Each structure stands twice: as structure tokens, then as C-alpha cells.
């Protein structure tokens, strides 16, 4: 049966560019003759029936704004099949026969559960972490790395002036992509990734001592949130090297801010693509970007895919900081 009314929600951590995706979903759907609703606060809002009608003007003036106008939430109870059933019943009650979910892997599992209950659902990759295996691009990553890169440049200047070591902690609890990209782009001397770090602090200490002898005036360590403990690490490194060491935790500033052109562009196309999938009768799909093309996969297939930090850039980063 052809979809008539679709809804859109954002779930999990917010990401710059989510608004551009919402705008694209709403305007594409209306242009194609569908009705659109917005579900506020992710799956929590669905369960609480926080559902609003969306018009083309509901998404005016948001393409340049970070965050998500719909709000987002973590809704742990949505893993419960009984609760998922309630979610699907609420969709039926509101006449929602198609759903676009903007979020990460966790959010896709919620979409998959609703699809099993008869709601046509499509996921769009929205996370600053870039940790979704089926796609080379996720909404928000580009903005987050540029925000972090600019902040790290600033720390580097004061670090050099004071001849200090700086540990700069970037987001990524399970994924080191932000750390890797900033590590390369900011010329870091060490990059600590959840996927690679072997907790050999002595190796870092040796590296600092060696680089100091070579005349380096600073030592930048990009530490991913998944490794964490930047403050205590700073104290130990200072004690062992004699080099003054400071920790800076960039935190949620990396998740905010006006999306870059790249994030607005990809989010806009992916939003439209998701609606067109629903119109084509496809369900239980996720949108991705691979080898220069927008593509889609079955959610199950997408969730089974694995992604790892590429070895070559990681090795090259070490070489370039010599
Ligand atoms: P992300 O979507 O960024 O990976 P989370 O892992 O926090 O973020 O997931 C976002 C939300 O998706 C969760 O709060 C929950 O509502 C829903 N979710 C996560 N895992 C599942 C699951 N296994 N089944 C159903 N819903 C899930
Ligand atoms: O998934 C995005 C992300 O920013 C991760 O990098 C981070 O680990 C997590 O969300 C933090 O989430 P919050 O502080 O919102 O709980």
C-alpha cells in the first residue's frame, strides 16, 4: 500500500545537519503529495504522542542551525518488544504509515523494530562519530571535526608559547574517527584511539622526551573520549617528562554549531532520498553514501556490517609528526 503520511524523528546524540535533513524530509514529502508529521524527542516523544503536523514553513530558517528542532532523546525502554508494539500502535493511531529516523546504529534498531510491526521505516545516518559501517559519511561529522580542529589550533598556539604538552580530548566513546581526522589535520604528535590504544603510556612519555630533544616546542596528544582520563594522564606525563602538561576536554561544543556546507548538502540529499525510498515502497532501509553515490541497505544488513579505523592514515600521522 502506498504511503500517505510519513513522520520524521531525530534520536540519539544530536548532530549539526540534522535540521537540514528534517527540512529535506518535510519539503520533499509535501512536494510529492504526502502529509508529514514531526515526532518530538525521539522514541520517547513517540510513546508520549508528541506528534506535530509539519508544513513547508515549519522548517523555514533551520538549514543553517545546529541541533535538531524536533529535539532528541535516549529512550532505553524502546528495546522492549511490548513498548515497540505500543510505538507502532501510536503510529497507526496517528495515520503514520512511513517513518524517517535520523540517528545512529541504536536508532536504526528502533526503526527496525517498528518496521517489523508494519511501519515502513527508513534510517538516515546522523552522528558526529562517523561510526556507521554502511556509509562513508554521517551527518555532523564534518562540522564536528572542523569545530574540534579550530579549537585544537588555538590550544596549540598557547601550548607552543609555553612549551607545554597538551592532551586534548575529543568526542568518540567507541569510535576514534574524530580523533584520527583531527590528529592528522592538527599535526598531533600522538593520537589515542579506542580502537588502537594499548595503554602503553611509557611509549607516549618516550615520544615526548625524544621530540623534546629534537627541539619541539609543544607536544599535542589527541585523546578520544573512549580512552578518557585526560586529567590524570596529564599529571602522570608531567611527572615523568618534566614537561608542563595540561588537559583540555572539548566536550559538547563539538556537537553544536552551524553545519558546514558538506553537512547541509549531504543531509539535504539524504533526507530527500529517504522519502523517495518510502514512496518507492521500500521499507526497513538505511541511506548511506559510498564511492560517490547515495545508496541504501536493508537495516539488518547495515547493522551487521563492520567498520574499523583505517591503518594507513594512522601510520602516516605518526610519520608526519616526526
Ligand atoms: P545512536 O542512535 O546515536 O546510536 P543510541 O545508541 O543512544 O544512539 O540509541 C538511540 C535510541 O535508539 C535509544 O535511546 C533507544 O531509544 C533506541 N534504541 C537503541 N537500541 C535499540 C534496540 N536494540 N532496540 C530498539 N531501540 C533501540
Ligand atoms: O554519539 C555522539 C556522541 O557525541 C559521542 O561521541 C559521545 O560519546 C556521546 O555522544 C556523548 O553523549 P551524551 O553526552 O549526549 O550522553
Amino acid at each position: 500500500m502506498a504511503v500517505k503520511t510519513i513522520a520524521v524523528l531525530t534520536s540519539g546524540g544530536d548532530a549539526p545537519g540534522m535540521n537540514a535533513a528534517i527540512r529535506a524530509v518535510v519539503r520533499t514529502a509535501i512536494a510529492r503529495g504526502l502529509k508529514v508529521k514531526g515526532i518530538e524527542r525521539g522514541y520517547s516523544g513517540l510513546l508520549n504522542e508528541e506528534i506535530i503536523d509539519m508544513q513547508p514553513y515549519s522548517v523555514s530558517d533551520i538549514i543553517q542551525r545546529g541541533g535538531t528542532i524536533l529535539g532528541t532523546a535516549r529512550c532505553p525502554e524502546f528495546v522492549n518488544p511490548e513498548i515497540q508494539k505500543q510505538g507502532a500502535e501510536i503510529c497507526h493511531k496517528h495515520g503514520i504509515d512511513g517513518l524517517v529516523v535520523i540517528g545512529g546504529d541504536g536508532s536504526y534498531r528502533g526503526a527496525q523494530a517498528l518496521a517489523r510491526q508494519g511501519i515502513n521505516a527508513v534510517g538516515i545516518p546522523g552522528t558526529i562519530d562517523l561510526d556507521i559501517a554502511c556509509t562513508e559519511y554521517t551527518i555532523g561529522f564534518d562540522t564536528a571535526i572542523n569545530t574540534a580542529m579550530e579549537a585544537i589550533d588555538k590550544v596549540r598556539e598557547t601550548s607552543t608559547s609555553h612549551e607545554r604538552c597538551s592532551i586534548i580530548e575529543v568526542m568518540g566513546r567507541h569510535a576514534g574517527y574524530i580523533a584520527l581526522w583531527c590528529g592528522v589535520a592538527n599535526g598531533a604528535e600522538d593520537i589515542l584511539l579506542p580502537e588502537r590504544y594499548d595503554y602503553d603510556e611509557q611509549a607516549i612519555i618516550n615520544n615526548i622526551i625524544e621530540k623534546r630533544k629534537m627541539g619541539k616546542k609543544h607536544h599535542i596528544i589527541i585523546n578520544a573520549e573512549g580512552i578518557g582520563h585526560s586529567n590524570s594522564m596529564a599529571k602522570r606525563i608531567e611527572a615523568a617528562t618534566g614537561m608542563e602538561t595540561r588537559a583540555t576536554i572539548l566536550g559538547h561544543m563539538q556537537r553544536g554549531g552551524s553545519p558546514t556546507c558538506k553537512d547541509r548538502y549531504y543531509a539535504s540529499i539524504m533526507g530527500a532520498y529517504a522519502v523517495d525510498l518510502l514512496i518507492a515502497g521500500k521499507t526497513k532501509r538505511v541511506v548511506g553514501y559510498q564511492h560517490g553515490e547515495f545508496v541504501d541497505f536493508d537495516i539488518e544488513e547495515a547493522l551487521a556490517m563492520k567498520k574499523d579505523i583505517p591503518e594507513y592514515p594512522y601510520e602516516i600521522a605518526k610519520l608526519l609528526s616526526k
Side-chain angles (χ1 to χ4, degrees), residues 3 34 47 66 71 96 105 118 122 164 169-170 179 181 225 239 252 270 283 290:
V3 289
L34 305 183
L47 297 174
I96 296 166
D105 278 354
V122 173
R164 280 176 176 155
E169 189 172 310
V170 297
W181 278 65
E225 178 191 352
H252 288 94
M270 284 183 164
T283 181
Q290 279 194 355

Side-chain angles (χ1 to χ4, degrees), residues 74 127-129 171-173 225 252 255:
R74 296 206 165 87
T127 169
I128 64 164
D129 289 344
M171 273 190 155
R173 198 170 293 157
E225 178 191 352
H252 288 94
R255 275 222 315 243

Side-chain angles (χ1 to χ4, degrees), residues 77-100:
E77 66 268 34
F78 211 71
V79 300
N80 178 336
E82 273 311 304
I83 301 282
Q84 294 164 359
K85 213 166 137 206
Q86 279 175 30
E89 279 160 11
I90 291 167
C91 287
H92 289 306
K93 179 175 157 192
H94 288 264
I96 296 166
D97 39 32
L99 179 66
V100 178

Side-chain angles (χ1 to χ4, degrees), residues 213-293:
K213 279 191 202 141
M214 285 161 55
K216 282 235 177 188
K217 288 214 159 86
H218 61 243
H219 192 100
I220 303 293
I221 303 172
I222 307 294
N223 184 26
E225 178 191 352
I227 305 298
H229 304 288
S230 297
N231 284 305
S232 55
M233 201 185 281
K235 288 201 182 94
R236 288 192 300 274
I237 286 177
E238 181 167 314
T241 61
M243 188 173 190
E244 252 193 313
T245 303
R246 295 282 194 274
T248 305
I249 298 169
L250 297 183
H252 288 94
M253 69 172 296
Q254 295 160 94
R255 275 222 315 243
S258 178
T260 58
C261 180
K262 182 170 179 176
D263 275 330
R264 297 181 201 190
Y265 177 89
Y266 282 71
S268 299
I269 306 302
M270 284 183 164
Y273 190 104
V275 173
D276 283 334
L277 284 175
L278 288 171
I279 291 171
K282 293 201 184 180
T283 181
K284 210 159 72 65
R285 308 294 291 177
V286 289
V287 180
Y289 184 80
Q290 279 194 355
H291 313 301
E293 307 249 6

Side-chain angles (χ1 to χ4, degrees), residues 75-209:
C75 175
E77 66 268 34
F78 211 71
V79 300
N80 178 336
E82 273 311 304
I83 301 282
Q84 294 164 359
K85 213 166 137 206
Q86 279 175 30
E89 279 160 11
I90 291 167
C91 287
H92 289 306
K93 179 175 157 192
H94 288 264
I96 296 166
D97 39 32
L99 179 66
V100 178
V101 171
I102 308 168
D105 278 354
S107 304
Y108 290 174
R109 290 183 201 281
Q112 182 183 32
L114 288 171
R116 285 196 187 119
Q117 303 280 343
I119 308 298
N120 300 313
V122 173
I124 297 181
T127 169
I128 64 164
D129 289 344
L130 196 70
D131 61 344
I132 300 181
C134 69
T135 181
E136 292 161 13
Y137 165 85
T138 64
I139 295 172
F141 176 72
D142 191 58
T143 306
I145 50 173
N146 279 290
T147 302
M149 182 188 74
E150 285 172 19
I152 296 164
D153 280 345
K154 293 184 172 117
V155 177
R156 181 190 177 109
E157 284 174 2
T158 168
S159 203
T160 308
S161 305
H162 286 261
E163 299 189 41
R164 280 176 176 155
C165 168
S166 286
I167 304 176
I168 303 156
E169 189 172 310
V170 297
M171 273 190 155
R173 198 170 293 157
H174 305 291
Y177 295 96
I178 297 176
L180 176 67
W181 278 65
C182 288
V184 173
N186 291 99
E189 276 70 32
D190 279 294
I191 310 173
L192 314 186
L193 310 174
E195 298 89 342
R196 290 280 188 280
Y197 184 47
D198 56 7
Y199 293 88
D200 184 0
E201 216 166 88
Q202 192 57 47
I204 300 173
I205 290 163
N206 295 344
N207 195 22
I208 294 171
I209 294 168

